[in-house]
Amino acid sequence: MLDGVPPGPAPPTGSAPPGPLPLTHARALRAPAEQGPLGVCRLAVGTRASGAATTQLVNGLVAAGCITRIRRPEDKRSVPVALTDEGRARHDERRRALTEALHTAPAHRDAPAVDSAAEVLDHLSAVHDRL
């Protein structure tokens, strides 16, 4: 169970989970999108989840075709994860939808005000992530 949502049927291999991404999944895609390949411990920090929960999250995102494990023959202890093309597309799609929602919802506001509000919300999200 991730984010309090009981697991449903497994998505077909190579397809992203249908519908909107839960926040934890979105964070799991955002971290490697912004920072490149990450180990599970670093990804756990980015998702604000335990190591065990992050491993389960990675397993689900690998099965959905959004993340891939990078196996290095010289270092069998660490297995970083990176976005697949599908994962990058889901991350970019969510970013575009968020930007669009922030710019269309308050139609009576001017673009600089909306940009400023979006910046404040991003900052508040970062503060929340640190708590």
Side-chain angles (χ1 to χ4, degrees):
M1 182 178 314
L2 296 174
D3 294 337
V5 177
T13 301
S15 67
L21 289 172
L23 182 57
T24 303
H25 290 76
R27 286 179 177 163
L29 297 181
R30 184 183 70 195
E34 294 177 351
Q35 301 173 39
L38 298 171
V40 172
C41 290
R42 297 254 340 259
L43 186 60
V45 171
T47 60
R48 302 289 297 162
S50 70
T54 302
T55 297
Q56 288 181 354
L57 178 63
V58 166
N59 289 342
L61 290 170
V62 166
C66 292
I67 285 184
T68 187
R69 290 182 174 92
I70 303 170
R71 305 218 184 263
R72 298 181 185 158
E74 70 277 3
D75 185 0
K76 296 191 188 282
R77 296 173 297 139
S78 175
V79 181
V81 297
L83 291 182
T84 62
D85 290 342
E86 177 72 20
R88 170 70 62 188
R90 287 301 303 266
H91 169 74
D92 292 346
E93 173 188 323
R94 184 177 187 281
R95 265 293 190 209
R96 277 190 301 278
L98 179 60
T99 300
E100 181 180 320
L102 289 172
H103 281 89
T104 58
H108 63 284
R109 302 282 182 206
D110 61 1
V114 173
D115 288 341
S116 179
E119 186 176 319
V120 169
L121 289 172
D122 279 343
H123 176 73
L124 289 174
S125 176
V127 167
H128 180 267
D129 286 349
R130 288 193 303 261
L131 298 177

